[in-house]
Amino acid sequence: MAGNKRAWDGNLIANQSKTKNMDTSADMPSIQTIFTGFRNELDEHHDRRERVVKASRDITALSKKIVRSVNAPIPPKIAKETDDRIKQIQELFKSIEADVSGVNAWRYHQITWGIQEYIEAISFHRYIEKKQLITLEEVSQTLPAGINVTEADYVLGLYDLTGEMMRFAITTMTTGRTAGVKGGDSTAQDKAQQSEEPTGGEAVLSDLRQLRAMFEQLNVPRGLSGWKEVDKKIEVMQASVEKVERAVYGLLVRGTERPSGWVPDLSSAAAVESH
């Protein structure tokens, strides 16, 4: 038989083990409720994240199809396919609008890859169609209000645009086409002005150099959220511009002497002034 515990004054100390057990058993339902809430919240988080990741992958795939199919001039069939794909992308963004709104816009950053690919696609489409650079406001207007397009997404998407412009310029020079935009009736003055402007790869190179000059003016602090890939993309952008510079240089030097099936030489480095 266990002895009784007494306090310093000799009085018996009540056995609190039963009381503690009773208190613990009484707290069990509330503890289970708390952890059930945690479990449900984590399940919702993982489901939401999976929806965002899947939508971002689908947006990326559709954006790449737009980039691969768009060329100048844009045939009516390709234009319709491009419009349909843009609508599909907008529906995908709309399907996850509630998942990435408010605070969740920073929690589920996986959507940023889809946004950048979308910006690359529609900016390249705008450039081929109108020889214009789409603005951040115009990009935001094409998407649901709950989709937050940051300045980092916009700029990094335009960095990717330079790669597509490089490929377009090389293709234009290889096939001998011009990079002009097909428009309506033009006056004699407009035609004379267009004849003085650079065409083909030279026109694209001029635009690429302007983009490079603007990009090189950016001063992004290290570690800034959303900009961690900017250094790598700057190098790729500069390499793309230099490839077009070498190709245009070779075309101007060779002139009409280029043989059938001529392809610009992009492997050899050239001393090209960087602006």
Side-chain angles (χ1 to χ4, degrees), residues 69-79 82 124-125 127-131 168 171-172 175-183:
S69 62
V70 170
N71 216 326
I74 303 177
K77 180 181 178 181
I78 300 300
T82 300
F124 185 58
H125 180 264
Y127 179 76
I128 295 298
E129 190 177 37
K130 299 181 179 179
K131 292 295 292 294
F168 173 65
T171 302
T172 300
T175 58
R177 295 177 302 180
T178 62
V181 179
K182 186 178 180 181

Side-chain angles (χ1 to χ4, degrees), residues 120 155-167 208 211-212 215-216 229-246:
E120 177 188 359
V155 173
L156 295 178
L158 293 185
Y159 273 120
D160 295 334
L161 168 66
T162 59
E164 298 305 326
M165 291 175 65
M166 179 270 293
R167 281 182 277 273
L208 279 171
L211 282 174
R212 180 176 62 182
F215 284 140
E216 290 177 345
E229 292 189 349
V230 67
D231 292 337
K232 178 181 178 181
K233 293 203 174 189
I234 286 177
E235 294 179 2
V236 175
M237 178 272 299
Q238 291 173 337
S240 296
V241 179
E242 290 172 2
K243 285 181 181 179
V244 180
E245 286 176 333
R246 289 196 293 269

Side-chain angles (χ1 to χ4, degrees), residues 59-92:
I59 291 167
T60 298
L62 287 169
S63 299
K64 290 186 179 299
K65 288 181 180 179
I66 292 174
V67 169
R68 286 195 296 264
S69 62
V70 170
N71 216 326
I74 303 177
K77 180 181 178 181
I78 300 300
K80 184 179 183 305
E81 290 179 357
T82 300
D83 292 339
D84 292 341
R85 284 169 179 158
I86 291 176
K87 290 178 182 178
Q88 293 178 38
I89 292 174
Q90 292 170 345
E91 288 297 323
L92 287 169

Side-chain angles (χ1 to χ4, degrees), residues 2 13 51 62 73 102 140 187 191 194 203 227 236 251 266-267:
I13 299 176
R51 288 195 297 269
L62 287 169
S140 299
T187 63
K191 292 180 179 179
Q194 291 175 1
W227 293 86
V236 175
L251 180 61
L266 306 178
S267 58

Side-chain angles (χ1 to χ4, degrees), residues 32-47:
Q32 289 179 351
T33 302
I34 291 173
F35 277 89
T36 299
F38 292 159
R39 181 192 64 191
N40 294 337
E41 184 177 346
L42 285 173
D43 289 342
E44 292 176 2
H45 161 67
H46 290 302
D47 292 342

Side-chain angles (χ1 to χ4, degrees), residues 107-215:
R107 187 179 188 185
Y108 303 104
H109 59 86
Q110 293 84 3
I111 192 58
T112 189
W113 316 122
I115 292 176
Q116 291 178 25
E117 291 289 343
Y118 173 69
I119 292 173
E120 177 188 359
I122 61 171
S123 60
F124 185 58
H125 180 264
R126 170 69 69 87
Y127 179 76
I128 295 298
E129 190 177 37
K130 299 181 179 179
K131 292 295 292 294
Q132 296 176 352
L133 185 65
I134 195 168
T135 64
L136 175 59
E137 291 74 17
E138 290 173 331
V139 173
S140 299
Q141 290 172 3
T142 65
L143 297 176
I147 303 298
N148 181 32
V149 182
T150 65
E151 294 178 352
D153 291 334
Y154 174 70
V155 173
L156 295 178
L158 293 185
Y159 273 120
D160 295 334
L161 168 66
T162 59
E164 298 305 326
M165 291 175 65
M166 179 270 293
R167 281 182 277 273
F168 173 65
I170 300 302
T171 302
T172 300
M173 286 184 285
T174 304
T175 58
R177 295 177 302 180
T178 62
V181 179
K182 186 178 180 181
D185 297 335
S186 301
T187 63
Q189 183 178 359
D190 293 336
K191 292 180 179 179
Q193 183 178 359
Q194 291 175 1
S195 63
E196 296 177 358
E197 295 177 352
T199 59
E202 296 179 55
V204 181
L205 176 58
S206 176
D207 296 333
L208 279 171
R209 280 176 163 172
Q210 291 184 39
L211 282 174
R212 180 176 62 182
M214 290 187 291
F215 284 140

